[in-house]
């Protein structure tokens, strides 16, 4: 069986997951998505993993879904598509994900990138939702996540024309948070993940959840959730350690409690 996903770590709290279908520009077939979902399941339960980096190759993060596999499915096959469960598992992951994106992030690849909490792109990165060129539409969150990230005007343009945008345009639109030299993209993503991994795990988890609430609920509900989460953290040992370390002018030692 081909090893569609390379797993390294965790090291310094960071798990590195590398999409590994170079012959298909890392097209997301069922096997690859299943391996990715399983790896995140294991990472969820592993206290040594505090953040995850997902990347591909310098040529392609992921160039889309596997078209040959998709073409073999009729309406019933799409209704019973096992990839749906894999996508749902990826979206439910509670720990931070940093995407290190080089080359093509198109279709399902762009959708996978948007499942990350922080997107770091190399200078050669290209983003798009070209499904319309095949007579179909985005089906793994492309119309919803892209609209929330860049606004309806650009999302409509990309989804209806199938055109791609550069890393610079993606940064201007708010899709990604940073651009760096292509050869340094993974290193930069790992550095960011290590910084996150050094923080108090429960505070990180609740902060991620609260920020996601901002896009799927009204302001009053989001503010209530934020205050509730803030209050919960008052009962943690890590909060006490963080405050004490600040007062003593030293680095805190967070344990996740």
């Amino acid at each position: 069986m081909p090893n569609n996903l390379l797993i390294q770590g965790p090291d310094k709290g960071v798990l590195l997951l590398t999409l590994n279908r170079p012959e298909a520009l890392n097209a997301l077939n069922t096997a690859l998505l299943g391996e990715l979902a399983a790896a995140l399941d294991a990472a969820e339960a592993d206290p040594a993993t505090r953040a995850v980096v997902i990347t591909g190759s310098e040529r392609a993060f992921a160039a889309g879904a596997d078209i040959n596999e998709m073409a073999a499915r009729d309406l019933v096959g799409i209704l019973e598509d096992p990839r749906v469960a894999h996508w749902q598992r990826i979206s439910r992951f509670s720990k931070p994900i940093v995407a290190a994106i080089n080359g093509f992030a198109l279709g399902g690849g762009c959708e996978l990138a948007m499942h990350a909490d922080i997107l770091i792109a190399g200078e050669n990165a290209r983003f798009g939702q070209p499904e319309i060129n095949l007579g179909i539409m985005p089906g793994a969150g492309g119309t919803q996540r892209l609209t929330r990230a860049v606004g309806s005007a650009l999302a409509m343009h990309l989804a209806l024309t199938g055109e791609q945008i550069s890393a610079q345009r993606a940064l201007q639109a708010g899709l990604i948070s940073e651009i760096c030299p292509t050869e340094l993209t993974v290193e930069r993503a790992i550095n960011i993940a290590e910084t996150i991994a050094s923080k108090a795990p429960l505070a990180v988890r609740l902060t991620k959840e609260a920020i996601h609430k901002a896009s799927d609920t009204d302001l009053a509900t989001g503010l209530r959730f934020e205050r509730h989460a803030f209050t919960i953290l008052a009962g943690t040992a890590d909060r006490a350690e963080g405050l004490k370390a600040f007062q003593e002018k030293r680095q805190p030692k967070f344990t996740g409690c």
Side-chain angles (χ1 to χ4, degrees):
M1 292 293 290
N3 192 3
N4 296 303
L5 185 71
L6 304 180
I7 303 174
Q8 296 173 259
D11 182 29
K12 298 180 181 178
V14 177
L15 185 70
L16 175 62
L17 303 178
T18 304
L19 309 181
N20 186 42
R21 297 190 70 216
E23 76 289 349
L25 296 179
N26 293 329
L28 302 173
N29 63 1
T30 301
L32 175 52
L33 282 172
E35 289 181 38
L36 182 57
L40 292 177
D41 257 337
E44 187 85 69
D46 181 12
T49 298
R50 294 190 175 186
V52 172
V53 171
I54 299 177
T55 192
S57 67
E58 285 198 4
R59 188 179 178 193
F61 176 74
D66 189 300
I67 301 304
N68 293 328
E69 188 179 69
M70 184 183 299
R73 288 194 171 100
D74 57 12
L75 188 150
V76 174
I78 294 296
L79 283 173
E80 299 176 348
D81 193 344
R83 294 175 302 172
V84 174
H86 299 328
W87 281 114
Q88 290 173 343
R89 179 63 194 89
I90 294 167
S91 68
R92 291 196 306 268
F93 189 64
S94 67
K95 298 177 183 181
I97 297 176
V98 182
I101 305 155
N102 285 318
F104 298 114
L106 306 176
C110 187
E111 290 169 319
L112 177 59
M114 290 189 292
H115 277 69
D117 303 296
I118 298 174
L119 283 67
I120 306 300
E123 295 169 332
N124 71 336
R126 303 285 298 179
F127 299 87
Q129 298 290 161
E131 290 89 345
I132 199 75
N133 296 329
L134 303 176
I136 57 176
M137 62 176 284
T143 63
Q144 303 304 302
R145 295 180 190 277
L146 189 60
T147 301
R148 286 165 170 76
V150 305
S152 61
L154 183 56
M156 195 74 77
H157 184 99
L158 293 177
L160 292 182
T161 66
E163 293 177 357
Q164 302 172 22
I165 59 173
S166 66
Q168 188 61 47
R169 182 72 179 92
L171 180 64
Q172 293 170 349
L175 179 60
I176 63 176
S177 64
E178 188 175 319
I179 299 173
C180 62
T182 299
E183 66 274 13
L184 299 178
T185 308
V186 176
E187 179 182 344
R188 175 60 179 151
I190 290 174
N191 288 341
I192 291 171
E194 287 177 351
T195 297
I196 296 170
S198 71
K199 312 303 182 185
L202 185 56
V204 168
R205 177 174 180 169
L206 290 177
T207 298
K208 169 176 173 170
E209 190 171 349
I211 291 174
H212 281 305
K213 285 287 184 185
S215 64
D216 61 16
T217 192
D218 60 88
L219 178 60
T221 302
L223 288 171
R224 284 196 297 273
F225 179 88
E226 178 187 82
R227 190 63 193 181
H228 179 66
F230 180 84
T231 302
I232 288 175
L233 292 175
T236 65
D238 277 347
R239 175 185 182 272
E241 165 63 10
L243 295 174
K244 185 177 181 182
F246 179 83
Q247 293 169 334
E248 295 176 353
K249 296 180 173 56
R250 60 175 175 81
Q251 290 297 313
K253 298 178 180 179
F254 297 122
T255 62
C257 300

